[in-house]
Amino acid sequence: MPQFVVVTGASTGIGHACADYLIKNGFRVFAGVRKTADAERLRDELGEGVIPLIMDVTDAATLNDAAKTVSEALAGSTLAGLVCNAGIAVAGPLLHIDVDEVATQLDVNVLGVIRTVQAFGPMLGADAAYTGKPGRIVMMSSVAGKMGAPFMGPYSASKHALEGLTKSLRKEVALYGIECVIIGPGAVATPIWDKAEEIDVEQYKDTDYVKPMTNVLNWMRKRGPEGLKPEQIAARVHHAITADKPDLRYAEVPDRLTNWTIPRLLPERLVDKITIKRIGLRPEDRE
């Protein structure tokens, strides 16, 4: 019987790359998407190895319906892996951003993960009705899960929360032999960066943040497309599911020395000072 993995947020980007990579390495993938058109496209692109599931991580009913489909396919065997990849990024200055936008961010990136784990976790081995080797949970975090970024506060908060949630979850599901692995990418060249073009900086025109926020968005627009290939993240996800003893967390970061190692070694106050100066957030930068 083939091994099955569930991947959420699989229509594009990292999720799509994960589905493709896992299929090419012998898995069958239940690919979570929100639109029927995306489901049909995935079938054309990935072939018989993909089984699209229409689901929304903010809607428990759609997750439960998808879980029934997965359970029937497993026929009593355990699910090999659950990749919690679905997510969004909300940007804006925390002094002024609409709190409803922050709530949406947390609903998708944090509560959505909890809903997903509750829907599919039993099939990983938490329910004795499923027999076989316990499956693994792979959480798609971000470098933002360890480092806060100006104007990305809602997103950083969601990924910080995901890191803590996972550390708690992995201790709880140890009871069933289920392991949890965090993947924390830096910039990855995916369509998510196209959405930076949609952020309306002018809505904050009556604040002091238009210029520094524009500087951050310009940096994102430049560095995003130059980021890691999503296939690199997919390969790490495959490793996290199949390795005998995977690490608890993997930092997949471009220019690792500059963007990860050195900032993690330097005093945090110094890192803040460098960032604040580069972006234009010093008191003397106010116009």
Side-chain angles (χ1 to χ4, degrees):
M1 182 176 177
Q3 288 187 299
F4 292 90
V5 175
V6 171
V7 179
T8 67
S11 60
T12 60
I14 292 174
H16 185 283
C18 287
D20 186 32
Y21 194 97
L22 289 167
I23 290 168
K24 288 176 178 175
N25 282 273
F27 288 91
R28 295 203 69 192
V29 174
F30 289 99
V33 297
R34 291 185 299 157
K35 301 176 182 178
T36 301
D38 289 330
E40 295 172 351
R41 175 174 53 81
L42 284 185
R43 289 191 186 95
D44 292 337
E45 293 172 349
L46 303 183
E48 295 181 357
V50 69
I51 306 169
L53 297 173
I54 303 296
M55 61 186 192
D56 185 333
V57 298
T58 66
D59 185 343
T62 67
L63 288 167
N64 291 333
D65 287 343
K68 292 176 183 177
T69 300
V70 174
S71 180
E72 291 173 0
L74 292 175
S77 296
T78 51
L79 183 66
L82 171 62
V83 183
C84 294
N85 169 73
I88 61 172
V90 171
L94 290 170
L95 284 178
H96 305 287
I97 192 169
D98 188 329
V99 173
D100 286 343
E101 291 187 56
V102 182
T104 298
Q105 173 77 90
L106 298 177
D107 190 24
V108 175
N109 288 20
V110 182
L111 299 182
V113 169
I114 296 174
R115 295 185 191 100
T116 301
V117 168
Q118 289 183 349
F120 297 102
M123 302 173 214
L124 294 165
D127 185 337
Y130 299 89
T131 59
K133 182 180 178 181
R136 289 181 180 166
I137 300 171
V138 181
M139 298 292 196
M140 197 59 64
S141 184
S142 165
V143 67
K146 295 291 187 180
M147 303 177 190
F151 310 117
M152 295 302 295
Y155 181 73
S156 295
S158 73
K159 294 304 183 180
H160 275 280
L162 181 63
E163 299 269 344
L165 184 157
T166 305
K167 289 181 179 181
S168 298
L169 178 65
R170 75 167 184 247
K171 298 175 179 66
E172 295 176 9
V173 297
L175 180 65
Y176 306 108
I178 299 169
E179 295 191 49
C180 298
V181 179
I182 298 171
I183 311 291
V188 181
T190 71
I192 193 172
W193 299 102
D194 296 338
K195 296 180 180 179
E197 302 290 344
E198 302 172 8
I199 297 174
D200 180 17
V201 178
E202 285 303 308
Q203 66 183 300
Y204 302 111
K205 61 182 173 54
D206 295 327
T207 78
D208 295 311
Y209 289 118
V210 171
K211 185 175 180 180
M213 189 173 175
T214 300
N215 291 339
V216 170
L217 292 176
N218 287 339
W219 180 89
M220 290 169 58
R221 290 165 184 145
K222 178 179 184 298
R223 293 299 300 273
E226 299 173 352
L228 300 176
K229 293 182 178 180
E231 291 76 18
Q232 180 172 333
I233 311 303
R236 182 61 74 186
V237 168
H238 176 263
H239 171 82
I241 292 172
T242 60
D244 289 339
K245 192 175 181 181
D247 291 348
L248 297 179
R249 190 182 195 280
Y250 293 96
E252 299 292 322
V253 182
D255 299 325
R256 186 183 178 91
L257 181 65
T258 302
N259 294 325
W260 179 256
T261 305
I262 292 176
R264 298 275 288 167
L265 292 174
L266 291 175
E268 190 168 0
R269 187 177 292 276
L270 176 58
V271 176
D272 283 357
K273 185 176 181 180
I274 294 169
T275 302
I276 287 167
K277 181 178 180 180
R278 180 180 299 163
I279 293 171
L281 284 169
R282 300 169 301 177
E284 57 265 36
D285 293 321
R286 292 179 64 187
E287 294 181 349

